[in-house]
Amino acid sequence: MDIPYLKLANIHDPLKDELKAKFNEVLESEWFIQGKQGEIFEKQFAAFCGSRYCVGVGNGLDAIRVILQAYGIGEGDEVIVPANTFIATVLAVSYVGAVPVLVDADIQTYNIDAAKIEAKITSKTKAIIVVHLYGRAVEMAPVWELAQRYGLKVIEDSAQAHGAVYQGTTTGNLGDAAAFSFYPGKNLGALGDGGAVTTNDEQLAKKVRAICTYGSYQKYRHEFKGCNSRLDEIQAALLSVKLPHLREWNEERKDIAARFNSEIDNPLFVLPKVDNRDGHVFHVYPLLCQSRAKLIDYLEKKGIHTNVHYPTPIPRQGAYQDLQVDMMDYPVTERICSEEVSIPLYPGMTNVEIDYIIHTLNQYSA
């Protein structure tokens, strides 16, 4: 048996005719930037998240960066970020000239450890970026409390958690603003790059849109040193076709994860914990294994393809040696990065494939 890590055809094939028709609609309209398709999708996605506003942008990295810029965060400022995340979260902070201040992960959730945030707050701190990593919503209550007490903005990096819910509220509506990526492999993926900013702050939404259009509210009049970062009409149209199916796809992901959690029975693995079914949409299924390299090789020989998120912690990246942090202060991040293995989990997997993965993992020995 051969099981790929991800198979997008499972979700695209049933929608192929609708996707092609929507593509042709945009093609025949001859309008490819900032048109009705973008407006339609922005309204749909804002409604999905429960936020008042959505602004389509070019990608998830830009989404974080323009939020920071719109809030006036820059040189001399500090932004709290999780140490266990994809580098884009931290790059966005660097791009506006601010300093990323890393906080270790919680071993129970793999997300930022809220109990360790306060010790990193200084007079220069302006915001906390939370990352709903692997699809699990961050425990937001302690983050909100700290933000209110210290007057900080809360920014969600929701690139991996489209549709995850915390205390009845969907990601994208859990902070002052949220950044999404629609990279093709995401739970809601475009057929190319794309991203969005969601918020309930009208002024922020307007400023984000202006920054992303060369810093301009009005053509040829530029109020900010902006950029060109917009969700194009084709991607917006295709995302509108896929969005109505997102909850169904997420439920399927959760069903598969529930089987993995209940049926994988091997003491060599630490499985992801789920306290609330709605709180984790399993963008990836991350298990921990001390003999990772051997496990990956074993699964590959059995025809099960895997991935690793993320093998090199931010403090060990060459790009961030200037932070001069001691990895001794990030033991949980170090452990996750050295042990995490992502196994196949995506809509359309068959019971035969799921059974085979479970059986193969249960047969593994170090």
Side-chain angles (χ1 to χ4, degrees), residues 87-332:
I87 197 169
T89 315
V90 186
L91 286 173
V93 177
S94 299
Y95 285 171
V96 299
V99 177
V101 177
L102 305 176
V103 174
D104 200 14
D106 180 340
I107 192 58
Q108 299 299 314
T109 66
Y110 308 157
N111 284 328
I112 194 168
D113 188 340
K116 296 179 180 177
I117 293 176
E118 187 170 16
K120 299 295 184 89
I121 296 174
T122 72
S123 61
K124 297 179 180 180
T125 308
K126 294 296 185 294
I128 302 170
I129 297 179
V130 296
V131 181
H132 306 299
L133 198 66
Y134 308 141
R136 177 171 181 146
V138 170
E139 187 72 22
M140 294 298 297
V143 178
W144 290 332
E145 192 278 328
L146 285 171
Q148 185 174 30
R149 180 147 44 102
Y150 288 96
L152 307 176
K153 296 296 184 183
V154 176
I155 300 168
E156 300 173 75
D157 180 341
S158 299
Q160 300 185 12
H162 313 69
V165 174
Y166 174 75
Q167 293 186 357
T169 300
T170 304
T171 53
N173 198 24
L174 291 169
D176 294 289
F180 286 88
S181 166
F182 301 125
Y183 181 79
K186 304 297 186 184
N187 289 33
L188 179 64
L191 273 66
D193 269 323
V197 172
T198 57
T199 184
N200 292 315
D201 184 338
E202 182 179 12
Q203 293 307 308
L204 178 75
K206 288 180 177 179
K207 192 170 182 180
V208 164
R209 193 179 299 280
I211 290 171
C212 289
T213 312
Y214 303 98
S216 174
Y217 289 112
Q218 181 180 346
K219 193 171 184 178
Y220 301 134
R221 295 178 64 89
H222 306 275
E223 306 299 325
F224 316 105
K225 294 176 182 176
C227 62
N228 175 22
S229 182
R230 297 169 293 195
L231 182 66
D232 68 66
E233 287 289 277
I234 290 175
Q235 299 304 337
L238 300 179
L239 286 166
S240 288
V241 172
K242 298 175 74 173
L243 180 59
H245 303 274
L246 178 56
R247 295 192 194 280
E248 174 189 345
W249 292 335
N250 281 347
E251 289 302 312
E252 191 170 350
R253 287 175 179 272
K254 289 184 276 189
D255 286 343
I256 297 168
R259 284 204 58 194
F260 285 164
N261 274 6
S262 64
E263 297 178 43
I264 295 174
D265 185 19
N266 189 325
L268 296 175
F269 307 139
V270 176
L271 306 182
K273 296 177 175 60
V274 180
D275 302 322
N276 169 16
R277 178 181 167 92
D278 291 335
H280 203 322
V281 292
F282 284 95
H283 171 59
V284 301
Y285 186 91
L287 59 80
L288 302 186
C289 179
Q290 292 183 1
S291 54
R292 178 169 69 189
K294 183 177 179 181
L295 173 62
I296 291 172
D297 183 64
Y298 164 79
L299 292 174
E300 190 72 23
K301 290 176 179 176
K302 297 289 187 178
I304 299 171
H305 304 283
T306 60
N307 208 333
V308 173
H309 299 87
Y310 301 95
T312 304
I314 300 297
R316 292 195 185 280
Q317 298 285 356
Y320 282 101
Q321 290 306 293
D322 59 312
L323 293 181
Q324 297 183 329
V325 301
D326 186 347
M327 282 306 301
M328 294 290 289
D329 295 331
Y330 303 92
V332 178

